[in-house]
Amino acid sequence: MALAFDEYGRPFIIIKEQEQKSRLRGLDAQKSNISAAKAVARILRTSLGPKGMDKMLSSPDGDVTISNDGATILEQMDVDNQIAKLMVELSRSQDYEIGDGTTGVVVMAGALLEQAERLLERGIHPIRVAEGYETASRIAVEHLERIANKFEFGAAHLEPLIQTCMTTLSSKIVNRCKRSLAEIAVKAVLAVADLERKDVNLDLIKVEGKVGGKMEDTELIYGIVVDKDMSHPQMPKQIEDAKIAILTCPFEPPKPKTKHKVDIDTVEKFQTLRKQEQQYFDDMVQKCKDMGATLVICQWGFDDEANHLLMHRNLPAVRWVGGVELELIAIATGGRIVPRFQELTPEKLGKAGLVREKSFGTTKDRMLYIEHCANSRAVTIFIRGGNKMIIEETKRSIHDALCVARNLIRNNSIVYGGGSAEISCSIAVEAAADKYPGVEQYAIRAFGDALENIPMALAENSGLQPIETLSAVKSQQIKENYPHFGIDCNDIGTNDMREQNVFETLIGKQQQILLATQVVKMILKIDDVISPSDY
């Protein structure tokens, strides 16, 4: 190592050994990869379960996010290592497919890699470990099918859906309002669900938030909430039995497409031009009135003259409404989006029982509620909270609850939470390992040990003795042959997760195991990390 100076006299260090450094290959590369993935899993481990801790993430711009949602934490983290990026992708896949269990899937992958590292040190080939994990994941997924319970639900019997959503929300910041938020999520999903096809389009559920009020003020609106107000303060604030013209054309005279210039050299010419423009506005407003519209919602703005005319002709209007919101309004009201005034007909008008403008707080922030729509298959969850961070975290929590309710409508099988499903799978995997005579047996047993990491993390985060608690629950499951004993995180006094009403969706739990196994197999098969400088 030598010290040198640049042309400005600033010292810098020359490291002579740089050329002798070689990139990692073989077992060293695998250990390095496993170490990077374990570091990510370790960060999320403390966020698991109802007593899990939250993470505060600060962006380069100084924006602060507080969350314990695994996908959000990893999304906001600035990760450079390529293997750590695979873990971020893993969490994103779980979020995209299932919507819940994003923390658990990363913790599970970290546990599998930890066990794999021990096997690699014993001299077992990574391919044999990967094959053993693949076999064990199949055994675990099939066992989950066997211990799963099905339940029936309907419009009159929503309790099973609500209880499952409450389990999801119990690990979030919003857990003190989990009952009311779970009910809102279930009702919203059922409002837009096609129960015959067992399908739910979550795009029809709009989640809006406004700072102020209490979290308990969060409400479900069977219609659309738009963060806009009437274009003129003197327009009526409430319209009943509204017929809505949904326009994507602006209230203004048409502009020539070519470059043009108008020379006005006399007062008469200016007056003629002004009258011509006024006539355009007059015709546009009259066209809407003639078609029977009692409210105009426009994607673009309109100038003061058009606004003045609309007010005087007693035609309330809303301007600058976004394209996504326009589509939702069209779906909810049964209207058609009209691109030109000439195409406006009475059949294209949307219908709503009530349109009202609502004010919030002392700042008089206003929003527009479009309710009792002709087609109530578009709903809005309107969230209130003390600050922006609470509202953003509530939105993420509600998204998880919506996804869980959607998954239950697609497949109404559930397993019990609190780590009971993982312990039961671990027992089943260990029992099945004896049937495999080869080296894979070690990997299958290691998979069973890794499954126990989830309940152990739950016990740790709840302030219990992890090893002692896990051993007691595991022996209880084996002795009574009852797969629903789990970790009593909330210290209720019973380990029976059926009594505690702690449910998780079967497809969510299966997806966790399958995705974690796939990513771990991929990481194990990487024996050389090549960077651009190596080419």
Side-chain angles (χ1 to χ4, degrees), residues 37 84 178 390:
K178 63 182 177 183
I390 288 284

PDB file of all heavy atoms in Angstrom, residues 37 84 178 390:
ATOM      1  N   ALA A  37     -27.994 -13.713   1.628  1.00  0.00           N
ATOM      2  CA  ALA A  37     -29.432 -13.983   1.740  1.00  0.00           C
ATOM      3  C   ALA A  37     -29.859 -14.060   3.204  1.00  0.00           C
ATOM      4  O   ALA A  37     -30.926 -13.572   3.584  1.00  0.00           O
ATOM      5  CB  ALA A  37     -29.768 -15.280   1.024  1.00  0.00           C
ATOM      6  N   ALA A  84     -29.000 -10.796  -2.557  1.00  0.00           N
ATOM      7  CA  ALA A  84     -29.998 -10.103  -1.734  1.00  0.00           C
ATOM      8  C   ALA A  84     -31.153  -9.608  -2.607  1.00  0.00           C
ATOM      9  O   ALA A  84     -32.310  -9.614  -2.186  1.00  0.00           O
ATOM     10  CB  ALA A  84     -29.346  -8.935  -1.004  1.00  0.00           C
ATOM     11  N   LYS A 178     -58.523  -4.078  14.140  1.00  0.00           N
ATOM     12  CA  LYS A 178     -58.514  -5.162  13.153  1.00  0.00           C
ATOM     13  C   LYS A 178     -59.909  -5.698  12.848  1.00  0.00           C
ATOM     14  O   LYS A 178     -60.186  -6.092  11.721  1.00  0.00           O
ATOM     15  CB  LYS A 178     -57.582  -6.293  13.595  1.00  0.00           C
ATOM     16  CG  LYS A 178     -57.967  -7.006  14.876  1.00  0.00           C
ATOM     17  CD  LYS A 178     -56.922  -8.072  15.217  1.00  0.00           C
ATOM     18  CE  LYS A 178     -57.265  -8.755  16.538  1.00  0.00           C
ATOM     19  NZ  LYS A 178     -56.251  -9.719  16.935  1.00  0.00           N
ATOM     20  N   ILE A 390     -49.310   6.718   8.872  1.00  0.00           N
ATOM     21  CA  ILE A 390     -50.346   5.793   9.367  1.00  0.00           C
ATOM     22  C   ILE A 390     -51.276   5.415   8.219  1.00  0.00           C
ATOM     23  O   ILE A 390     -51.648   4.241   8.056  1.00  0.00           O
ATOM     24  CB  ILE A 390     -51.158   6.453  10.519  1.00  0.00           C
ATOM     25  CG1 ILE A 390     -50.315   6.539  11.794  1.00  0.00           C
ATOM     26  CG2 ILE A 390     -52.451   5.699  10.785  1.00  0.00           C
ATOM     27  CD1 ILE A 390     -50.157   5.229  12.538  1.00  0.00           C
TER      28      ILE A 390
END
